[in-house]
Amino acid sequence: VKKILSAYDVKRPVLVGHSLGAAICLTFALQHGELPSGIVPVGGGVTMWVNPAILDGLLANPAPIVEMAAKLSLAKQNREKFAMILSAGFAKANPVVMQGDFSACNDLNLTEEVKKIKIPTLVVCGTEDKMMPPEHSQYLKDNIPCARMVLIENAGHLVMMENPEAFNRHIREFAGSL
């Protein structure tokens, strides 16, 4: 991320990351907190436990895991609208890469380190997120000194897709406040 920002001469960005991207935002803020003007971890936490059956299943028989992940990523009222699209997208991903991403999530532990983040942080979570429930976001809000949190109604883990109007409004307001 640092190399990309440097290559494009981006100064003081607001970094937004979802799920594993949230972990990347948090880690970047810990390692290079002087560079971004703020971060927005979306659907993330200091730990991101993944069921071992998912990790093993992605390599042994990815189809049912992909279908289950698509279903669990969405709020109930959004499943009919988005589940097939999401499943199709997940099915195109390399299962080895997905397993690696989920393993990286599973290995994450920023429980103590997150308290050292000193830049403005907007923690975003869907009220119906089953993958990273709001309690995980609440921990971030409670332990990052400059953090505030928004819960977005009628959204699960894919909050930016499920309620884009609210998601974009909160991001704009946060970025505009910096």
Side-chain angles (χ1 to χ4, degrees), residues 54-59 94-105:
I54 292 173
L55 295 173
D56 296 339
L58 278 168
L59 299 179
N94 181 328
V96 174
V97 172
M98 283 183 74
Q99 199 266 356
D101 290 348
F102 282 143
S103 290
C105 289

Side-chain angles (χ1 to χ4, degrees), residues 82-96:
F82 294 118
M84 289 185 64
I85 297 165
L86 194 56
S87 290
F90 284 168
K92 291 178 185 175
N94 181 328
V96 174

